[in-house]
Amino acid sequence: MAGTIAFIYGAMAYVIFLATFLYAIGFVGNLMISKSIDSPPEGPFVESLLVNIALLSLFAVQHSGMARQGFKKRWTKIIPRALERSTFVLISSLLLILLYSQWRPMTAIVWEVGNPAAQRVLEVLFWLGWLIALHSTFLIDHADLFGLKQVYLYARGREHLAAKFKMPELYQYVRHPIMMVFIIAFWATPVMTAGHLLFSLATTAYIFIGICLEERDLMNRFGEAYREYRRRVWMVLPLPRKK
């Protein structure tokens, strides 16, 4: 019974994540949803700025803090280890929903691309960013990344084995392809408003901070194999391998 409940919990967390991921595309791109990054009404600038910074900071602190090994060790003394990843995914998703619902638009235009061909290029980059981000999760085990494998194995009474270090496909050319294409998707817009610029700046800064913290954990986990990978492959730019 405990295994079945855990699996239902993990599946529910995954469905909520998937909904927030799809909503993020419409939110950032101002596409097909009523509440997006630039949708009215617009409030006082300073109030909007402070609220948006608070929302972004709340997500960053939770997302980075719960991903650290020290937190995981303490957290798994409270909840079953099999539920740790699903709980992380669920709380991250709920905070994204909070951000979507409480975001304050700041619609002053910072820059605008008027050339139709350039607009199409930016639109293609936007969609490629989201598609490659999703594709990259399957390269490193989508089910494990979002907690489905852990709760499935727990429900079957089987042990979840730690993943081995590997460099599939895109990971041979850039260490963090998911983060690379998120940056592209966040910045690829023909109309950059003040609110969108704040979102892009904050998320880009957080991505680089998060990468530094994550790589510290990865070096502790995989040792010299990851250190060598780090010396040879660039962080977020798919440049030729370093000698």
Side-chain angles (χ1 to χ4, degrees), residues 29 46 52-53 55 75 106 109 173 181 184 193 200 209 213 226:
V46 174
N52 292 342
I53 289 174
L55 291 168
W75 187 226
M106 302 159 63
I109 296 177
Y173 307 101
V181 293
I184 291 172
T193 63
S200 300
I209 293 170
L213 294 172
Y226 194 84

Side-chain angles (χ1 to χ4, degrees), residues 26-236:
F27 180 80
V28 176
N30 293 299
L31 300 168
M32 300 178 291
I33 58 174
S34 58
K35 184 72 169 67
S36 68
I37 202 167
D38 293 323
S39 60
E42 183 172 5
F45 181 84
V46 174
E47 177 186 322
S48 298
L49 178 65
L50 294 176
V51 170
N52 292 342
I53 289 174
L55 291 168
L56 290 163
S57 300
L58 182 62
F59 175 80
V61 170
Q62 173 273 326
H63 195 265
S64 185
M66 289 189 70
R68 304 283 65 81
Q69 293 302 314
F71 179 88
K72 290 180 180 181
K73 288 179 181 178
R74 293 189 295 271
W75 187 226
T76 50
K77 293 178 181 178
I78 301 172
I79 66 169
R81 184 174 298 276
L83 300 183
E84 180 272 323
R85 190 66 186 177
S86 292
T87 303
F88 170 79
V89 169
L90 177 60
I91 295 176
S92 298
S93 300
L94 293 176
L95 286 178
L96 280 177
I97 292 171
L98 178 66
L99 186 148
Y100 301 151
S101 64
Q102 298 303 313
W103 181 264
R104 304 295 194 262
M106 302 159 63
T107 57
I109 296 177
V110 181
W111 71 73
E112 184 173 3
V113 176
N115 183 278
Q119 291 177 354
R120 300 294 86 76
V121 169
L122 290 170
E123 289 169 3
V124 169
L125 288 173
F126 174 81
W127 284 106
L128 277 177
W130 293 103
L131 290 171
I132 294 173
L134 185 60
H135 171 68
S136 298
T137 66
F138 286 94
L139 296 178
I140 55 173
D141 197 337
H142 182 89
D144 190 273
L145 184 62
F146 296 107
L148 286 175
K149 177 181 282 187
Q150 292 88 324
V151 293
Y152 172 77
L153 293 175
Y154 182 68
R156 297 292 299 271
R158 293 160 55 188
E159 182 182 2
H160 174 257
L161 301 177
K164 295 181 179 180
F165 178 66
K166 57 183 180 179
M167 300 183 300
E169 200 176 288
L170 296 175
Y171 289 85
Q172 297 180 36
Y173 307 101
V174 60
R175 299 201 304 272
H176 301 276
I178 297 175
M179 300 299 104
M180 175 189 73
V181 293
F182 271 146
I183 292 172
I184 291 172
F186 295 159
W187 286 91
T189 176
V191 180
M192 181 62 77
T193 63
H196 197 146
L197 180 61
L198 171 66
F199 180 89
S200 300
L201 285 170
T203 51
T204 301
Y206 168 67
I207 282 171
F208 283 105
I209 293 170
I211 285 174
C212 291
L213 294 172
E214 181 186 9
E215 292 207 325
R216 185 180 63 185
D217 290 343
L218 291 171
M219 285 187 286
N220 289 334
R221 180 178 175 184
F222 295 114
E224 186 56 32
Y226 194 84
R227 291 186 180 91
E228 177 63 19
Y229 177 59
R230 196 167 178 260
R231 284 192 288 266
R232 296 180 61 193
V233 179
W234 294 87
M235 181 188 287
V236 294

